[in-house]
């Protein structure tokens, strides 16, 4: 009798498998395949990223998450799924479409949803958050009504987020992190740790159904302390330049040419950081994967090219 993991588990659908920021979906696919689990990876385009997913042994399907027919075809025959999608003006439509299809499908033992930690501070009438954050809150409400076996994963800001990439990019030129946070604290989480949490839940979902896992990095600290960590990891002085919010938005963020929806989200995150809304700590990473989350110094050592000219 075949007792391999693949023989015991129906395919696991992973959406957003070719995503960009942090590449959580791709990492989830890789981690599940390393465990010998069958994976169906849903991508928007069949390109080199799709080929890389096929190289792991995953089945790749191409589709649009806003089209119910595409989602239904991707989900057919699967037993578990992960819903994740990059920041997009189409996020709400895609998420609600996916939830509707999953509910009609009726065969899932786990629906793992990528949300945001900011949702925990929001309510029905909150107005200070970004459009994307508001949509995440709405999707959590829909999932709560759906009757699906849901697991909510709520990471704080990723270390790989453009917010930090812009701030860190000034180190090579100025020897300083440029961000508009003042003395507010933050606890960014590594995308790899988030992917490890999601993969662990998908591999053994039963203990997690109905739960919310909030994920942060190992400590909450201000950017001066972050700069000290970066300095120690690089072995050279790194300071912190506190830039007025609007100046940072105009001079540092706007030149990236981000889509309007993404630009509004990142600039809102910067403002919420300055208001100390990201001074949060949670032990979700260690609870799920049994080790502490990695920190800023680990990120620097793993990505030296981001900090040099």
């Amino acid at each position: 009798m075949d007792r391999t993991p693949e023989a015991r588990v129906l395919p696991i659908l992973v959406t957003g498998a070719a995503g960009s920021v942090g590449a959580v979906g791709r990492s989830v696919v890789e981690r599940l395949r390393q465990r010998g689990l069958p994976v169906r990876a849903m991508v928007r385009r069949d390109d080199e990223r799709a080929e890389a997913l096929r190289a792991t042994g995953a089945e790749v399907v191409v589709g649009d998450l806003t089209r119910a027919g595409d989602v239904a075809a991707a989900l057919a025959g699967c037993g578990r799924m992960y819903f994740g999608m990059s920041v997009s003006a189409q996020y709400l439509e895609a998420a609600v479409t996916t939830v509707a299809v999953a509910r009609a499908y009726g065969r899932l033992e786990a629906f793992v949803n990528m949300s945001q930690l900011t949702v925990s501070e929001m309510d029905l009438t909150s107005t200070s958050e970004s459009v994307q954050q508001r949509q995440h809150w709405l999707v959590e409400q829909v999932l709560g009504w759906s009757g699906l076996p849901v697991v909510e994963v709520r990471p704080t800001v990723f270390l790989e987020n453009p917010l930090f990439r812009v701030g860190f990019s000034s180190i090579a030129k100025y020897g300083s992190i440029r961000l508009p946070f003042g003395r507010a604290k933050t606890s960014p989480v590594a995308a790899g740790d988030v992917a490890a949490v999601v993969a662990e839940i998908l591999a053994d979902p039963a203990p997690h159904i109905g739960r919310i896992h909030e994920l942060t990095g190992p400590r909450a600290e201000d950017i001066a302390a972050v700069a000290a960590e970066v300095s120690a990891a690089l072995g050279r002085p790194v300071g912190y330049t506190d830039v007025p919010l609007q100046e940072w938005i105009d001079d540092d963020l706007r030149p990236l040419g981000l889509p309007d929806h993404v630009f509004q989200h990142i600039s809102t995150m910067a403002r919420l950081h300055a208001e100390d809304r990201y001074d949060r700590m949670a032990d979700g990473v260690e609870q799920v994967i049994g080790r502490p989350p990695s920190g800023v110094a680990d990120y620097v050592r793993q990505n030296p090219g981001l900090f040099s000219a």
Side-chain angles (χ1 to χ4, degrees), residues 115-127:
S115 187
Q116 294 190 17
L117 186 53
T118 314
V119 169
S120 65
E121 300 177 319
M122 296 171 65
D123 59 28
L124 186 63
T125 58
S126 298
T127 59

Side-chain angles (χ1 to χ4, degrees), residues 157 164 181 184-188 219-223 273 278-279:
V157 59
F164 283 100
F181 292 2
K185 294 182 178 181
T186 187
S187 54
R219 64 189 64 85
E221 57 188 358
D222 61 23
I223 302 302
H273 265 90
Y278 281 81
D279 183 6

Side-chain angles (χ1 to χ4, degrees), residues 11 49 55-56 58 73 99 127 143 159 165 178 185-186 207 219 224 261 263 265 278 292:
R49 295 173 299 176
T56 70
V99 172
T127 59
L143 281 166
L159 274 164
R165 283 188 175 266
R178 284 174 52 88
K185 294 182 178 181
T186 187
R219 64 189 64 85
H261 180 87
F263 177 82
H265 178 58
Y278 281 81

Side-chain angles (χ1 to χ4, degrees), residues 243-256:
V243 188
L245 177 61
Q246 193 59 52
E247 178 183 329
W248 183 84
I249 289 173
D250 293 339
D251 295 348
D252 295 57
L253 185 63
R254 198 176 299 279
L256 296 183

Side-chain angles (χ1 to χ4, degrees), residues 81-201:
M81 78 166 292
Y82 161 70
F83 179 79
M85 183 178 177
S86 298
V87 174
S88 167
Q90 293 184 299
Y91 169 80
L92 183 60
E93 181 183 2
V96 174
T97 299
T98 302
V99 172
V101 171
R103 187 172 185 274
Y105 177 61
R107 296 177 55 196
L108 285 178
E109 58 177 310
F111 185 110
V112 181
N113 179 52
M114 179 60 68
S115 187
Q116 294 190 17
L117 186 53
T118 314
V119 169
S120 65
E121 300 177 319
M122 296 171 65
D123 59 28
L124 186 63
T125 58
S126 298
T127 59
S128 64
E129 295 80 18
S130 73
V131 173
Q132 180 75 26
Q133 289 164 333
R134 188 67 186 168
Q135 290 178 345
H136 276 280
W137 186 89
L138 289 168
V139 170
E140 285 205 18
Q141 308 314 301
V142 172
L143 281 166
W145 307 329
S146 70
L148 290 168
V150 176
V151 184
E152 295 286 1
V153 178
R154 292 179 179 169
T156 186
V157 59
F158 285 7
L159 274 164
E160 294 82 358
N161 189 282
L163 188 66
F164 283 100
R165 283 188 175 266
V166 170
F168 291 152
S169 68
S170 65
I171 293 174
K173 186 173 183 180
Y174 301 109
S176 181
I177 301 172
R178 284 174 52 88
L179 282 170
F181 292 2
R183 299 182 65 180
K185 294 182 178 181
T186 187
S187 54
V189 66
D193 287 343
V194 177
V197 167
V198 172
E200 182 63 32
I201 295 167

